[in-house]
Amino acid sequence: MLEYKKEISLVLLRDTLRIRMIESRLAELYAEYEMRCPTHFSLGQEAVAVGVCHHLKKQELITSAHRSHAHYLAKGGSLKKMVAELYGKKTGCATGKGGSMHLIDLDAGFLGAVPIVGSTIPIGVGASFSAYLQGENKLSVIFFGDAATETGAFYESLNFAAIHKLPVVMICENNLYSVMSPLSVRRPEGIKLSNIPQGFGVQSFHADGSDLEEIYQTAGQAIEYARSGKGPVFVEYINYRWLEHCGPLSDTHLGFRTEEDVINGKKKDPVRNYKDKLLKAGILTDSEFSKWEKEIAEEIQEAISFAKESPFPEKEQLLEHLFAA
Amino acid sequence: MSRELKFVEALQEAQDLCLERDPSVYVMGLGVSDGAAMFGSTKGLVEKYGPKRILDMPVSENAMTGVALGSALTGMRPIMVHLRLEFAMLAMDQIVNQAAKWHYMFGGQASVPMVIRMVVGRGWGQGAQHSQSLHSWFAHVPGLKVVLPATAYDAKGLLISAIEDNNPVIFIEHRWLYNMTDKVPKGMYRVPLGKSNVLLKGNDVTIAASSYATIEALNAAKELEKEGISIEIIDIRTINPLDEEPLLESVKKTGRLIVADIGWKHAGFAGEIVSRVVEKVYQYLKEPPIRITLPDVPTPTTRALSNFYYPLPSDIVSAVKKLLGKAAESKPDIKPEDFLDVPYLEFRGPF
């Protein structure tokens, strides 16, 4: 229990609930086929984003990958612009040219997300390296999934960040599957992912990615370590993807995991579990929680209306922005 | 003030001036600060600017290109250098998927001011993996500027423009140009990207070329001049974006087109030039255009084969005569043991 700051507990829960409700609503609306872009929902994986980003200053940059909604929202990215982007509208965060897989909000310190696995790891390192070249110390936080640790870009980036002791925090959310491929076909048996960075002399942590307090506290240690100039840090959080890899539906009919697996996975629900904990501790009341739900639902409705009512980009924008002036 | 400089010295000077002027410029690449200094093109820079700005790096081309990109998004102007173009291929994800697209796919909110210098090797048995010019590949990707200087003057002026440009620029340098000299003014000057240059004025045949092929076209033109044949050379110094006007105007005048390229023929840059001309000024063509390129096989190492792999100025001469309906001169008698694997006899390996 975060005894020392009860208000932080409440903010963490509320922010996680917010992402849960946004993702749930967008997944429902996806069935209308108006969001016409590949969309990787963060349902079940909201808590890591919240627990990590709560430590960050606005100007500290983060990068993400294909499943980026939670990171974008937790960092303070505009909800309206995100929803509009999913609807392909001109008012979207990338003017409709990006979609769910290419979110950006520079005002919020969200440098960008791309779906090529591992690609944003060196880009995030570069954001920190930039400050290093200018004689400054600037934290950069990079979110990626377990599969990214199978790319060369990950190892190359880890090595380079370690050489120059760059203040980079690599957050690996291990949700056990890459699309549908299990860890057993992707990693030798018995290898613990958080041991790998130690071979580069990089400090690493391992934590439960469904426990908001554990996430928050581990991230705090990791970020403090990086900020203090000791070099990069790696954190592996174990969490669980509730929906199919890409899209709003279940995937248990495809045979790689069972309905029972998903039911078990959902037992580690970061929202429900932390809510129960805070209720029991008397920090939260049911009426407070209901009030949040109402407020958030209104915020979501407003964002959806904004997105739906926004104009599409004009056809002239097709050829715009090929090159920067 | 003009003085004669080598192509490689012009490259060095361009970087030196930009490093001096703008603290956000830095150079990275394997060996940029070693004693060989990228064939001399980064000579003296580490002494002047230190190992942070002239950064030697791990052999991690892909991630290091991503690092350069990330730094470009956050205020820096990286110049990345590859001693051979082939090493840049390890970074195709960062170059093609990321750097080329970043500005467009995020709706113009961010830009990637970044130069990637790549050296195309030739001679002394460079073989299949130290000799490729894949400029056509890069030019195929929207969002990448692709520059191939042929003279020392252009090398300096184009490199300065590339460093100051707010986009990813692929800067391709043919190794055989490195020791060629040209009048190169001191101080800053810019040759604009995306502008073709009428390097030689003439009336009979248009030769479009870039990089080392431009030099071979000049050599061929000198030979032909002796016979009273007048060649116009369009040096396509930037192949993306492509400035086609001088080329089209030239073909309108001469009605005859040869494209000389340092790459392969199939699906390549020379074909693109021919297509543009055929699409836009077909009615002016008196003869079908001719492409002079590499044959579509990998580069062989032994000179017994590479002597027949690279086109020679005499091939350009023959093509011009064919277009003019003149008797082709007999082919030069090339022998497998000839030393055509060097631009001049003093050019030595092993590297």
Side-chain angles (χ1 to χ4, degrees):
Chain A
M1 194 78 51
L2 294 167
E3 289 294 350
Y4 56 96
K5 271 186 182 173
K6 285 179 182 169
E7 65 271 28
I8 289 180
S9 309
L10 294 173
V11 171
L12 290 176
L13 180 60
R14 192 189 188 282
D15 286 356
T16 310
L17 172 70
R18 177 173 174 265
I19 297 172
R20 167 70 52 83
M21 289 177 68
I22 292 167
E23 290 291 82
S24 302
R25 184 69 187 127
L26 291 175
E28 277 169 22
L29 288 169
Y30 201 83
E32 294 178 352
Y33 299 116
E34 285 182 39
M35 281 176 258
R36 303 176 81 89
C37 58
T39 303
H40 306 78
F41 290 98
S42 303
L43 281 168
Q45 301 184 226
E46 308 88 347
V48 170
V50 173
V52 172
C53 289
H54 200 73
H55 292 282
L56 302 178
K57 301 182 186 95
K58 199 172 176 179
Q59 70 274 18
E60 287 174 326
L61 297 173
I62 74 167
T63 50
S64 179
H66 55 289
R67 198 176 309 286
S68 68
H69 295 187
H71 310 133
Y72 171 98
L73 292 167
K75 189 66 175 59
S78 159
L79 173 63
K80 282 184 177 175
K81 287 183 178 178
M82 182 185 104
V83 180
E85 189 60 34
L86 267 58
Y87 277 87
K89 298 300 180 75
K90 190 183 174 180
T91 54
C93 63
T95 72
K97 283 177 171 170
S100 166
M101 300 191 294
H102 299 287
L103 298 183
I104 184 169
D105 192 332
L106 296 175
D107 292 337
F110 190 85
L111 188 62
V114 304
I116 305 299
V117 173
S119 291
T120 39
I121 301 178
I123 295 171
V125 171
S128 180
F129 185 61
S130 199
Y132 164 87
L133 287 170
Q134 294 165 52
E136 290 163 25
N137 189 46
K138 190 173 173 189
L139 186 74
S140 172
V141 178
I142 306 163
F143 287 93
F144 50 88
D146 45 297
T149 67
E150 292 145 31
T151 68
F154 167 68
Y155 291 93
E156 293 182 356
S157 301
L158 198 61
N159 179 51
F160 182 71
I163 292 171
H164 295 284
K165 290 198 182 327
L166 299 176
V168 170
V169 178
M170 298 190 177
I171 303 288
C172 175
E173 288 178 58
N174 182 353
N175 70 7
L176 314 179
Y177 300 99
S178 177
V179 188
M180 284 178 265
S181 305
L183 286 166
S184 60
V185 303
R186 299 186 286 120
R187 193 183 299 167
E189 207 181 327
I191 295 291
K192 200 176 165 195
L193 190 50
S194 52
N195 286 345
I196 293 172
Q198 290 165 13
F200 291 84
V202 170
Q203 179 72 37
S204 74
F205 296 88
H206 175 93
D208 180 348
S210 72
D211 182 327
L212 262 168
E213 277 181 22
E214 193 175 326
I215 294 165
Y216 179 78
Q217 283 169 340
T218 310
Q221 290 170 38
I223 288 166
E224 198 40 51
Y225 181 93
R227 279 195 189 126
S228 71
K230 290 180 190 150
V233 201
F234 176 92
V235 189
E236 179 190 22
Y237 287 115
I238 307 291
N239 55 18
Y240 199 73
R241 186 184 89 206
W242 287 7
L243 302 181
E244 58 191 330
H245 162 66
C246 182
L249 305 174
S250 155
D251 56 12
T252 51
H253 64 289
L254 294 167
F256 73 102
R257 60 179 179 177
T258 63
E259 194 63 43
E260 202 189 343
D261 289 335
V262 176
I263 290 167
N264 282 331
K266 285 186 172 180
K267 282 181 186 157
K268 301 194 100 187
D269 175 344
V271 174
R272 195 189 56 219
N273 292 352
Y274 202 46
K275 177 191 169 192
D276 290 348
K277 195 171 177 178
L278 296 186
L279 283 173
K280 262 190 209 140
I283 295 170
L284 175 71
T285 61
D286 276 318
S287 67
E288 174 80 356
F289 194 82
S290 305
K291 196 179 124 228
W292 291 350
E293 288 180 312
K294 193 167 161 286
E295 289 164 359
I296 296 166
E298 280 168 19
E299 187 198 358
I300 295 171
Q301 191 43 52
E302 206 180 313
I304 289 164
S305 303
F306 171 79
K308 288 194 168 187
E309 288 159 18
S310 284
F312 281 116
E314 296 85 25
K315 71 175 182 195
E316 288 72 23
Q317 286 180 258
L318 173 67
L319 301 182
E320 244 179 42
H321 297 134
L322 175 59
F323 289 118
Chain B
M1 287 310 319
S2 282
R3 69 246 127 108
E4 292 272 323
L5 273 195
K6 287 181 179 173
F7 187 93
V8 61
E9 293 164 337
L11 293 171
Q12 190 275 353
E13 194 166 273
Q15 295 168 107
D16 189 7
L17 287 166
C18 292
L19 283 157
E20 190 165 34
R21 214 170 105 107
D22 181 352
S24 66
V25 174
Y26 72 101
V27 181
M28 71 151 94
L30 186 70
V32 286
S33 54
D34 71 17
M38 313 307 273
F39 302 124
S41 67
T42 56
K43 196 176 166 188
L45 297 180
V46 71
E47 290 79 359
K48 201 166 165 187
Y49 302 102
K52 238 173 154 181
R53 291 184 74 195
I54 310 299
L55 185 86
D56 208 348
M57 64 171 219
V59 187
S60 304
E61 288 84 359
N62 188 41
M64 292 313 297
T65 307
V67 168
L69 199 171
S71 78
L73 292 172
T74 49
M76 302 303 288
R77 291 187 171 273
I79 304 169
M80 192 151 195
V81 195
H82 296 286
L83 211 50
R84 294 289 190 287
L85 178 143
E86 282 83 350
F87 297 106
M89 278 188 256
L90 290 149
M92 287 306 263
D93 170 51
Q94 290 296 334
I95 298 171
V96 175
N97 284 329
Q98 312 307 339
K101 316 283 194 289
W102 206 275
H103 185 67
Y104 186 89
M105 78 186 170
F106 290 119
Q109 291 173 80
S111 55
V112 183
M114 169 170 159
V115 178
I116 309 179
R117 292 181 45 210
M118 305 177 188
V119 180
V120 175
R122 176 172 170 182
W124 204 269
Q126 296 297 305
Q129 298 180 357
H130 269 32
S131 63
Q132 299 169 83
S133 188
L134 292 168
H135 50 291
S136 300
W137 267 23
F138 292 112
H140 186 64
V141 178
L144 295 177
K145 294 194 176 179
V146 184
V147 178
L148 294 95
T151 66
Y153 177 89
D154 280 354
K156 180 175 167 184
L158 286 168
L159 186 52
I160 289 172
S161 293
I163 294 167
E164 292 180 342
D165 198 274
N166 285 325
N167 297 283
V169 180
I170 307 297
F171 199 88
I172 295 180
E173 304 158 10
H174 195 285
R175 180 70 180 88
W176 280 17
L177 296 169
Y178 263 47
N179 288 334
M180 299 190 73
T181 56
D182 191 16
K183 282 199 168 61
V184 177
K186 287 184 180 168
M188 293 289 272
Y189 67 89
R190 294 156 188 87
V191 172
L193 305 187
K195 289 282 171 211
S196 300
N197 184 30
V198 185
L199 195 63
L200 185 67
K201 281 203 170 293
N203 299 311
D204 297 328
V205 175
T206 299
I207 302 179
S210 59
S211 187
Y212 191 69
T214 300
I215 303 303
E216 299 202 302
L218 276 171
N219 290 335
K222 269 182 213 152
E223 284 302 308
L224 290 158
E225 197 188 0
K226 291 176 196 161
E227 299 176 44
I229 298 170
S230 154
I231 300 297
E232 182 143 303
I233 297 179
I234 311 297
D235 183 15
I236 307 196
R237 305 175 289 194
T238 303
I239 67 168
N240 193 24
L242 179 66
D243 170 26
E244 60 185 19
E245 275 316 306
L247 169 75
L248 301 179
E249 286 308 311
S250 179
V251 173
K252 280 188 196 170
K253 180 171 66 179
T254 64
R256 299 177 184 92
L257 173 68
I258 290 170
V259 188
D261 189 23
I262 57 171
W264 288 298
K265 181 170 283 183
H266 181 67
F269 171 67
E272 173 63 28
I273 294 296
V274 170
S275 303
R276 298 242 180 175
V277 165
V278 169
E279 276 175 355
K280 296 192 173 163
V281 292
Y282 176 76
Q283 66 276 26
Y284 293 89
L285 283 171
K286 295 169 186 158
E287 296 290 335
I290 295 176
R291 288 177 286 169
I292 296 179
T293 65
L294 301 173
D296 292 318
V297 293
T299 311
T301 294
T302 174
R303 71 183 194 278
L305 297 174
S306 70
N307 283 354
F308 303 98
Y309 175 73
Y310 289 103
L312 298 167
S314 57
D315 293 309
I316 301 177
V317 170
S318 301
V320 167
K321 291 193 172 171
K322 189 180 168 200
L323 287 182
L324 292 169
K326 297 190 184 229
E329 53 197 278
S330 54
K331 283 230 159 204
D333 182 26
I334 298 166
K335 296 188 179 63
E337 60 272 25
D338 287 347
F339 294 113
L340 299 182
D341 59 341
V342 285
Y344 44 86
L345 281 176
E346 298 75 32
F347 185 100
R348 286 284 156 83
F351 195 48

